[in-house]
Amino acid sequence: MSEDYRSMWQNLGLDLVAHDALLGVLGKFYQDIYLTQQNRPEGMGYFDFVMSEVHGLRIKELLDEKKAGRKIIGSYCVFVPEEIVLAGNATMVGLCAGADFAMEEVEKILPRNTCALIKSTFGFKLGKVCPYLEASDMIVGENTCDGKKKAYESLGPLVSNLYVMDIPQVKSGQGRALLKAEYQRFKQAVEKLTGVAIDAAHLKQAIETVNSKRQAIHRLSKLRQADPAPISGLDALLANQVFFYDNPLRFTDSVNKICDELEKRVAEKKGVSPARTPRILMSGCPMAVPNWKLPWIVETSGAVIVGEESCVGERGTRNLVNASGRTVDELMDAIVDRYFQVDCAIITPNPDRLNHVEEMVKAYKADGVIHYGLQFCQPYLMEAIPVAKALEDKKIPTLRIETDYSMEDVGQLKTRVEAFIEMLK
Ligand code: SF4
Ligand code: SF4
């Protein structure tokens, strides 16, 4: 890493020794999991580059944007609308973290039985290793699951710029009204932060930018319906993860380039694995960088992942915002309409999610579903039981996995996953 980056990290207040250790582990993990894959599309070279520079060049770009007067807004959830952020001349970055860090410190603030995603968020703050968090001018928390809701109360005193958004938990008229009111309040907060009054033209443009980003991912997903699958689940997951960090226009372009390449592969019936390799749909909790453990186990056990029913995946990217409105009010309503369809397990009851899992099984010709629940995640672990039952009733084999970010259970998980895949053959 260049000296420039080191001084940049130091100026952001990072702990350089701890940060070096994190980058060392991340680099090794990436090498072992990603770069050992066979038959990767050439376009993935872009994502390899992004990952090698995820704390370097991308952070420098964000700091350059800040110097030019733009604000950076960090978010932990796909309910936070990027359209409003972009329309206010700010940039949004994802802050969700996928690795254990500074756990001893974390467990002084949070109970041990908190999900790994929340603990990791605190570990990255307390260990001073996340440049995205430190570069953010506003950090948006959202009242979704109980764990996050209460954790934001403890995160507040650790940062100077936490903004908390309320999210409905029921899909009713009142639920929609709450989401609308909260998006209006968020719009005002963004305007206050940036000093920019959001008008219809900018909101429309922002909607189109985010729609294009989602459409590129939709195109990628559709190509994964082919047998043989033209891209590994690990690589597709990486694209879904980078969705939250990269410059939106460049991201859209890069995903579309991969799709051009994959279209040729599909036409020539070339895949990352032979035709009729068992096809898995992953469903459940989001997988933030560098949480690649389970997909790596699945894809080194003789199967290919063809879709993710997850917030880092299709739950997060499906449905576009209707950009045809002419006023700020009409466009804001269209934004509310789109986000109100997100079927996170915090919503009760949540039949939409079950329907979506079933639709995805059909569309991606999945042979089985692996439900991924993070230990101590009540919403997804509880929902996993009726979801698995409904799938089994329809003769769709389902494996429920409960795990965390540690590597301690790799052997045990591999045994279970291999047995499941063997059964699908
Ligand atoms: S799982 Fe729910 S709380 Fe988590 S990012 Fe998705 S919508 Fe937000
Ligand atoms: S994984 Fe579950 S418990 Fe953890 S933040 Fe997401 S919804 Fe909450």
Side-chain angles (χ1 to χ4, degrees):
M1 285 293 163
S2 75
E3 278 314 304
D4 286 358
Y5 286 166
R6 296 190 76 77
S7 60
M8 173 177 85
W9 294 328
Q10 198 153 27
N11 292 339
L12 282 170
L14 298 193
D15 176 334
L16 290 186
V17 176
H19 186 248
D20 281 351
L22 177 74
L23 286 193
V25 174
L26 182 67
K28 165 104 183 49
F29 212 42
Y30 195 75
Q31 171 74 40
D32 292 350
I33 292 184
Y34 273 89
L35 303 182
T36 52
Q37 295 181 95
Q38 305 292 317
N39 278 333
R40 298 179 78 210
E42 270 173 36
M44 283 310 293
Y46 171 73
F47 290 93
D48 292 339
F49 175 71
V50 169
M51 284 311 290
S52 69
E53 288 287 342
V54 72
H55 280 199
L57 193 58
R58 182 65 186 134
I59 297 299
K60 188 177 174 309
E61 285 178 351
L62 294 176
L63 295 178
D64 287 346
E65 287 185 16
K66 276 162 76 95
K67 263 188 224 142
R70 208 172 154 96
K71 300 290 181 191
I72 309 297
I73 298 183
S75 141
Y76 293 105
C77 177
V78 298
F79 271 114
V80 180
E82 186 174 6
E83 293 84 349
I84 295 176
V85 172
L86 289 179
N89 196 30
T91 295
M92 192 158 98
V93 290
L95 296 177
C96 271
D100 288 340
F101 211 82
M103 279 301 129
E104 242 174 70
E105 292 304 302
V106 172
E107 287 179 6
K108 289 180 191 154
I109 300 183
L110 298 175
R112 285 203 73 188
N113 57 353
T114 304
C115 88
L117 210 147
I118 299 175
K119 277 189 176 171
S120 171
T121 297
F122 275 67
F124 276 39
K125 176 64 204 169
L126 296 167
K128 302 192 188 133
V129 291
C130 180
Y132 290 91
L133 186 71
E134 304 306 334
S136 294
D137 298 291
M138 181 200 267
I139 296 171
V140 186
E142 17 56 52
N143 289 337
T144 43
C145 67
D146 283 353
K148 273 190 174 179
K149 247 184 264 186
K150 298 310 286 181
Y152 292 130
E153 285 183 24
S154 304
L155 185 66
L158 303 178
V159 297
S160 57
N161 46 6
L162 181 69
Y163 173 93
V164 179
M165 178 187 284
D166 209 5
I167 302 288
Q169 320 240 313
V170 181
K171 293 214 172 152
S172 60
Q174 284 110 314
R176 191 186 180 285
L178 171 64
L179 195 65
K180 184 171 176 181
E182 281 300 278
Y183 282 2
Q184 293 288 3
R185 190 171 70 87
F186 180 57
K187 174 175 159 288
Q188 284 160 14
V190 172
E191 288 175 331
K192 188 162 168 236
L193 178 77
T194 60
V196 171
I198 293 177
D199 60 21
H202 284 98
L203 196 50
K204 201 180 182 68
Q205 194 182 22
I207 289 172
E208 281 163 0
T209 299
V210 185
N211 276 350
S212 304
K213 183 161 106 153
R214 294 198 180 109
Q215 275 167 321
I217 284 286
H218 297 171
R219 192 177 159 208
L220 175 67
S221 304
K222 191 129 184 60
L223 287 159
R224 295 170 74 193
Q225 296 179 357
D227 187 18
I231 184 169
S232 70
L234 275 166
D235 278 338
L237 172 64
L238 188 68
N240 276 286
Q241 290 173 329
V242 171
F243 182 95
F244 294 93
Y245 299 94
D246 203 3
N247 170 291
L249 299 177
R250 188 174 55 203
F251 175 85
T252 304
D253 231 39
S254 310
V255 174
N256 277 323
K257 277 202 191 109
I258 292 187
C259 292
D260 294 340
E261 195 184 334
L262 298 189
E263 268 168 13
K264 286 196 200 111
R265 281 189 172 199
V266 171
E268 292 165 9
K269 294 201 178 307
K270 279 195 188 145
V272 275
S273 49
R276 286 189 291 281
T277 297
R279 300 163 68 85
I280 301 290
L281 176 74
M282 300 291 294
S283 170
C285 293
M287 290 177 178
V289 174
N291 178 11
W292 303 307
K293 178 172 76 173
L294 191 56
W296 168 66
I297 291 174
V298 172
E299 293 203 321
T300 51
S301 301
V304 60
I305 297 169
V306 290
E308 297 77 25
E309 188 279 318
S310 161
C311 284
V312 183
E314 199 158 310
R315 189 185 320 121
T317 54
R318 71 205 270 241
N319 303 320
L320 302 178
V321 174
N322 181 341
S324 66
R326 278 168 305 165
T327 63
V328 170
D329 274 353
E330 284 172 1
L331 293 166
M332 285 292 288
D333 254 321
I335 291 174
V336 175
D337 284 340
R338 188 250 161 212
Y339 284 86
F340 197 52
Q341 295 177 69
V342 173
D343 46 15
C344 171
I346 60 144
I347 304 286
T348 302
N350 196 19
D352 293 353
R353 178 164 169 241
L354 176 58
N355 294 338
H356 186 218
V357 178
E358 289 179 5
E359 270 169 30
M360 284 186 77
V361 168
K362 271 197 208 117
Y364 295 90
K365 302 179 204 80
D367 299 300
V369 175
I370 296 186
H371 191 284
Y372 162 74
L374 274 176
Q375 215 173 13
F376 310 123
C377 167
Q378 267 186 352
Y380 282 93
L381 291 180
M382 286 210 168
E383 217 168 85
I385 298 169
V387 166
K389 186 172 179 319
L391 293 174
E392 294 284 357
D393 286 349
K394 297 208 165 159
K395 308 268 178 282
I396 301 165
T398 305
L399 175 69
R400 272 193 287 138
I401 297 282
E402 185 177 332
T403 184
D404 57 14
Y405 288 175
S406 81
M407 299 303 274
E408 280 162 22
D409 59 353
V410 165
Q412 189 210 4
L413 288 178
K414 193 150 174 64
T415 308
R416 290 186 63 205
V417 167
E418 279 174 355
F420 182 67
I421 292 169
E422 201 46 47
M423 192 194 77
L424 299 178
K425 283 182 183 164

